[in-house]
Amino acid sequence: MKEALKEYRIERTKLEDEIQEFLTQKFAEFKEKTGAEVIHLDVNIEVLDDHEADAFIESVFVSTDL
């Protein structure tokens, strides 16, 4: 059980990193179009305790220099 929990946390961290990388790329495109610099980007993923449930993005916080 302990090993499964460790693996779960690793996979969740990978997912959060992939989403953050994707959004970072999208905001780079946003900067090209608007000139706005993204100062801070934070992604929070929610996974319900139900093992059959899907993960979803609970919140995305973006701060720009505009």
Side-chain angles (χ1 to χ4, degrees), residues 13-51:
T13 300
K14 286 181 185 177
L15 178 62
E16 289 172 343
D17 291 346
E18 288 174 14
I19 291 170
Q20 185 133 355
E21 184 178 317
F22 171 79
L23 290 174
T24 299
Q25 180 182 11
K26 287 298 176 187
F27 283 114
E29 295 169 10
F30 173 76
K31 180 182 177 185
E32 287 178 20
K33 293 178 184 177
T34 66
E37 181 76 44
V38 173
I39 298 169
H40 180 78
L41 174 62
D42 185 39
V43 177
N44 186 22
I45 297 176
E46 182 65 30
V47 179
L48 303 177
D49 290 336
D50 179 3
H51 299 292

